[in-house]
């Protein structure tokens, strides 16, 4: 048991209490951020004359060595320490003696952990964004290749109107694009530095909080020391954004599972991204999509868990907040894993144009267009709707599609139908006439694809977002 406190205690901590209280098994995940934060703190202490230049240099140098030793396996983080903060400080003191004991001047573990978690989350947010961008690139490629691949569009999971694969993929493009914007937004709100808040009420040392904030790539320091040590809003926002990403991935997974089934056969998942059955030799299962759908619950769980943890905590820091870590780390890793694998699966998937077009050709996806034809020839829409309803009934009875009937049969239902009805209800016409912005018609689709291409090429839309990516590099 090694801890940073003990002066006012007359008894040893009970071993079970120690174990229950310790966080090193999971907070060692941000040892780099802990060291980075300490370096910035010490540089500021030196600049303010709170430490001498020699002390500052010695501490920064040794912290760098500690980091390198951990990275290269010469120094192992053990659970003999309560948390990562204690571990780093103890090793520093071991190596530097009394100078090392000055590291924690003007700082508390409360502002320290608030900083570490913020630095770690900021980086995770950037990784997630990079993965989202990779997914968008694959989606755009599929959109470019499938502007003419006709498939049924569904409502209520019933065939509704013909669309294209490009259009269907475009819907997911919009969702993941919004997910990126959400991350950028969160970044803007969270990128303020809590260091210098002390335990809760600031410190009596002349700290330069602006300076540490700048060193660590923040826009500036936070403005209330009690809020600084007890704010976990940014984690809740991030978990909410991660949950939304998972909700999108899960909907997409559900469609791919359906499309990959024998009943649809719209897609074939690459062998490298499918699994088999131990008993049924014919099986090729969409496990990646199923896992992405399944893991969504776990990420939602982290969000609800943290919201619940935070709801009754009085100001300022309370130990409950230590519970912010494990579930959040798990959610971050889960989403990164799902995004990377889903993108690989999508990138290697085969789309079966024929099956999609065949499916669109059966199921009366052109019924609305048949009604529109009548409207264009002077029939009021409500009457046209009724006529085409009867036409569909006739077709079902005959086991034929609308465009498989003869002109005589069509005219027996409405004399308004002329030879050009066949052209009007061909799937290609049905799709290509849908030219409002955002619709699947070729011209409209190409206009949107050009905009999305520009969006991906432009990289970042504004100045703030540019800093955001600079930090990731
Ligand atoms: N392990 C703690 C956490 O994660 C660090 C802060 C400890 N502060 C304290 N006052 N005990 O929240």
């Amino acid at each position: 048991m090694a801890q940073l406190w003990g002066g006012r205690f007359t008894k040893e901590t009970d071993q079970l209490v120690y174990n229950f209280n310790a966080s090193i098994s999971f907070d060692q995940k941000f040892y780099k951020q802990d060291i980075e934060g300490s370096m910035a703190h010490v540089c500021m202490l030196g600049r303010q004359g709170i430490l001498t230049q020699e002390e500052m240099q010695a501490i920064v140098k040794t912290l760098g060595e500690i980091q390198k030793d951990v990275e290269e396996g010469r120094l192992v983080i053990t659970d003999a320490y309560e948390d990562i903060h204690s571990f780093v400080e103890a090793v520093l003191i071991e190596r530097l003696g009394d100078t090392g004991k000055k590291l924690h001047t003007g700082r508390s573990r409360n502002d320290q952990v608030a900083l570490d978690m913020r630095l770690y989350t900021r980086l995770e947010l950037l990784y997630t964004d990079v993965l989202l961008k990779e997914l968008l690139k694959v989606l755009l490629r599929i959109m470019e290749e499938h502007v003419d691949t006709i498939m049924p569009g569904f409502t209520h999971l019933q065939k509704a109107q013909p669309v294209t694969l490009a259009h269907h993929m475009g819907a997911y493009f919009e969702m993941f694009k919004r997910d990126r914007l959400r991350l950028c937004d969160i970044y803007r709100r969270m990128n303020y530095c809590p260091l210098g808040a002390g335990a809760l009420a600031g410190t009596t040392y002349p700290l330069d909080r602006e300076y540490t904030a700048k060193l660590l790539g923040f826009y500036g320091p936070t403005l209330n020391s009690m809020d600084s040590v007890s704010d976990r809003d940014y984690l809740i926002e991030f978990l909410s954004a991660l949950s939304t990403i998972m909700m999108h991935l899960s909907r997409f997974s559900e469609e791919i599972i359906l499309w990959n089934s024998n009943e649809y056969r719209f897609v074939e998942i690459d062998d490298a991204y499918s699994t088999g059955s131990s008993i049924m030799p014919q099986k090729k299962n969409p496990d990646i999509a199923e896992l992405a759908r399944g893991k969504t619950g776990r990420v939602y769980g982290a969000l609800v868990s943290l919201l619940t943890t935070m709801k009754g905590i009085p100001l300022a820091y309370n130990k409950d907040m230590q519970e912010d870590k494990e579930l959040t780390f798990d959610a971050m890793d889960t989403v990164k894993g799902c995004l990377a694998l889903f993108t690989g699966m999508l990138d290697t998937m085969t789309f079966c144009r024929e099956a999609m077009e065949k499916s669109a050709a059966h199921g009366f996806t052109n019924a609305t267009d048949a009604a529109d034809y009548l409207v264009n020839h002077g029939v009021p829409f409500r009457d046209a709707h009724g006529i085409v309803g009867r036409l569909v009934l006739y077709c079902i009875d005959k086991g034929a599609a609308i465009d498989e009937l003869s002109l005589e049969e069509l005219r027996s239902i409405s004399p308004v139908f002329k030879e050009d009805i066949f052209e009007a209800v061909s799937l290609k016409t049905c799709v290509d006439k849908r030219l409002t912005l955002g619709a699947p018609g070729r011209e409209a689709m190409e206009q949107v694809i050009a905009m999305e291409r520009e969006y991906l090429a432009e990289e970042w839309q504004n100045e703030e977002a540019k800093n955001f990516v600079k930090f990731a590099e």
Side-chain angles (χ1 to χ4, degrees):
M1 282 192 236
Q3 46 211 16
L4 296 171
W5 42 272
R8 62 98 68 214
F9 288 78
T10 52
K11 271 193 189 169
E12 278 282 299
T13 317
D14 180 275
Q15 187 64 47
L16 288 177
V17 171
Y18 181 83
N19 295 347
F20 191 64
N21 197 42
S23 55
I24 193 148
S25 63
F26 48 88
D27 64 18
Q28 57 179 279
K29 218 169 158 83
F30 50 56
Y31 77 91
K32 268 192 209 157
Q33 286 74 22
D34 192 73
I35 291 175
E36 188 188 352
S38 288
M39 283 179 170
H41 179 65
V42 167
C43 286
M44 180 275 295
L45 292 179
R47 194 163 182 263
Q48 296 300 96
I50 302 166
L51 293 185
T52 66
Q53 291 303 298
E54 296 70 48
E55 288 168 334
M56 173 190 91
Q57 277 159 11
I59 297 177
V60 170
K61 183 164 168 276
T62 311
L63 283 172
E65 287 161 6
I66 294 174
Q67 178 169 338
K68 208 153 178 260
D69 288 351
V70 172
E71 267 159 23
E72 293 170 7
R74 281 187 298 275
L75 180 63
V76 180
I77 302 172
T78 71
D79 56 12
Y81 297 88
E82 183 187 341
D83 52 32
I84 189 63
H85 326 297
S86 319
F87 172 81
V88 173
E89 191 174 327
V91 179
L92 186 77
I93 293 170
E94 206 178 278
R95 296 189 180 185
L96 271 187
D98 282 350
T99 305
K101 292 183 184 162
K102 297 189 175 180
L103 166 67
H104 211 49
T105 313
R107 190 175 68 170
S108 153
R109 275 185 299 166
N110 296 353
D111 58 346
Q112 187 176 359
V113 77
L115 171 71
D116 293 0
M117 197 60 187
R118 225 175 252 240
L119 288 172
Y120 187 86
T121 305
R122 186 172 68 176
L123 202 57
E124 285 297 310
L125 193 141
L126 295 171
Y127 290 147
T128 309
D129 185 66
V130 168
L131 289 167
L132 279 171
K133 190 167 180 194
E134 289 307 307
L135 174 54
L136 287 181
K137 282 189 205 157
V138 172
L139 278 170
L140 185 65
R141 199 244 321 136
I142 299 170
M143 287 161 72
E144 287 169 340
E145 285 171 12
H146 290 281
V147 176
D148 291 319
T149 304
I150 293 175
M151 64 177 289
F154 297 85
T155 61
H156 312 271
L157 205 55
Q158 309 275 324
K159 290 178 198 173
Q161 291 175 344
V163 294
T164 63
L165 181 59
H167 192 241
H168 201 115
M169 291 296 119
Y172 285 105
F173 192 100
E174 293 305 313
M175 293 180 225
F176 293 118
K177 190 166 138 188
R178 284 197 298 274
D179 287 331
R180 292 188 78 200
L181 288 170
R182 252 184 286 278
L183 294 183
C184 191
D185 223 38
I186 295 168
Y187 183 93
R188 270 188 228 156
R189 258 188 307 282
M190 72 173 281
N191 197 31
Y192 292 89
C193 184
L195 198 63
L200 77 160
T203 76
T204 52
Y205 300 96
L207 305 187
D208 184 347
R209 294 194 59 216
E210 296 278 352
Y211 183 68
T212 24
K214 215 171 120 204
L215 282 182
L216 292 165
F218 288 105
Y219 299 141
T222 51
L223 295 184
N224 180 290
S225 59
M226 287 219 262
D227 178 52
S228 306
V229 291
S230 58
D231 167 31
R232 300 292 183 271
D233 289 6
Y234 69 96
L235 286 180
I236 289 170
E237 287 190 40
F238 188 38
L239 287 172
S240 162
L242 291 179
S243 296
T244 308
I245 293 172
M246 288 306 289
M247 182 264 288
H248 293 152
L249 276 181
S250 185
R251 292 182 72 179
F252 205 168
S253 293
E254 169 68 15
E255 298 213 288
I256 284 170
I257 293 161
L258 281 175
W259 292 1
N260 187 61
S261 68
N262 285 331
E263 285 65 29
Y264 280 76
R265 289 187 183 282
F266 283 7
V267 299
E268 185 168 349
I269 298 175
D270 194 74
D271 276 4
Y273 284 88
S274 336
T275 53
S277 155
S278 62
I279 175 171
M280 298 166 283
Q282 84 282 13
K283 281 297 204 74
K284 199 177 137 184
N285 295 328
D287 285 23
I288 298 301
E290 289 173 22
L291 280 170
R293 189 178 58 184
K295 285 175 190 288
T296 303
R298 185 164 159 169
V299 178
Y300 290 4
L303 170 64
V304 175
S305 170
L306 186 56
L307 277 168
T308 313
T309 297
M310 293 303 294
K311 84 178 178 58
I313 303 184
L315 285 175
Y317 177 84
N318 293 260
K319 197 60 177 253
D320 318 38
M321 288 175 184
Q322 182 166 290
E323 287 297 310
D324 65 354
K325 293 177 193 63
E326 284 159 290
L327 285 164
T328 307
F329 291 152
D330 181 72
M332 291 166 172
D333 291 343
T334 300
V335 176
K336 278 188 300 182
C338 288
L339 278 171
L341 280 153
F342 193 93
T343 302
M345 177 184 69
L346 195 66
D347 199 24
T348 51
M349 200 155 71
T350 310
F351 293 94
C352 314
R353 289 171 199 253
E354 276 171 29
M356 290 184 180
E357 295 204 16
K358 203 166 146 208
S359 170
H362 296 93
F364 308 105
T365 57
N366 51 2
T368 316
D369 295 79
D372 288 347
Y373 175 93
L374 294 174
V375 170
N376 288 332
H377 290 77
V379 183
F381 180 77
R382 197 43 62 208
D383 293 340
H385 188 283
I387 293 167
V388 177
R390 286 198 297 283
L391 177 59
V392 167
L393 211 54
Y394 179 85
C395 287
I396 292 173
D397 206 38
K398 252 202 104 176
I402 295 175
D403 47 350
E404 285 168 355
L405 297 184
S406 68
L407 186 58
E408 287 67 47
E409 285 174 297
L410 286 163
R411 288 179 63 88
S412 73
I413 290 164
S414 168
V416 180
F417 288 125
K418 304 260 154 45
E419 187 58 40
D420 60 352
I421 176 65
F422 294 105
E423 166 68 19
V425 296
S426 87
L427 292 184
K428 193 164 164 21
T429 314
C430 294
V431 169
D432 280 346
K433 272 168 66 183
R434 290 183 153 73
L435 287 176
T436 39
L437 182 67
R442 179 174 250 286
E443 276 169 48
M445 199 66 233
E446 271 170 358
Q447 193 183 346
V448 169
I449 286 177
M451 288 158 83
E452 307 297 26
R453 213 181 276 136
E454 208 174 298
Y455 155 75
L456 281 185
E458 232 176 54
E459 186 63 36
W460 296 103
Q461 316 284 322
N462 58 43
E463 273 312 302
E464 237 161 334
K466 266 189 210 144
N467 296 330
F468 174 86
V469 85
K470 233 187 275 157
F471 183 78
E473 284 160 359

